[in-house]
Amino acid sequence: YKQAYDCFTKAIELKADFAEAYFNRASVWFELPANTYPNTDGCDDLQKAKTLGFKVKDDVLKKFGCL
């Protein structure tokens, strides 16, 4: 998961409005052991993906405690 997280981070660095990368990075973040990446938060990425137009369902946000 760490490698996937890093790849999605790189994709976001290359294209800051890449909504699907934010969603996928959030999905990976929730699979990582706690405090693996302490400066990030999967909820922030889910909200960013939603803001950029990615269809994030409220039940997904609720599942991860992001509402």
Side-chain angles (χ1 to χ4, degrees):
Y1 291 110
K2 285 183 179 182
Q3 186 176 10
Y5 184 92
D6 291 338
C7 287
F8 290 124
T9 298
K10 183 65 174 177
I12 291 166
E13 288 172 5
L14 295 172
K15 188 173 190 288
D17 63 346
F18 192 178
E20 189 174 0
Y22 281 100
F23 179 82
N24 290 328
R25 185 171 75 171
S27 299
V28 169
W29 186 87
F30 287 111
E31 297 296 328
L32 290 167
N35 298 318
T36 303
Y37 289 93
N39 295 329
T40 62
D41 183 341
C43 289
D44 291 343
D45 281 350
L46 286 177
Q47 293 292 350
K48 181 72 172 184
K50 188 172 184 175
T51 299
L52 291 171
F54 194 82
K55 297 194 185 319
V56 180
K57 296 180 180 179
D58 285 342
D59 52 332
V60 171
L61 295 170
K62 187 182 237 181
K63 174 183 173 183
F64 293 115
C66 301
L67 275 178

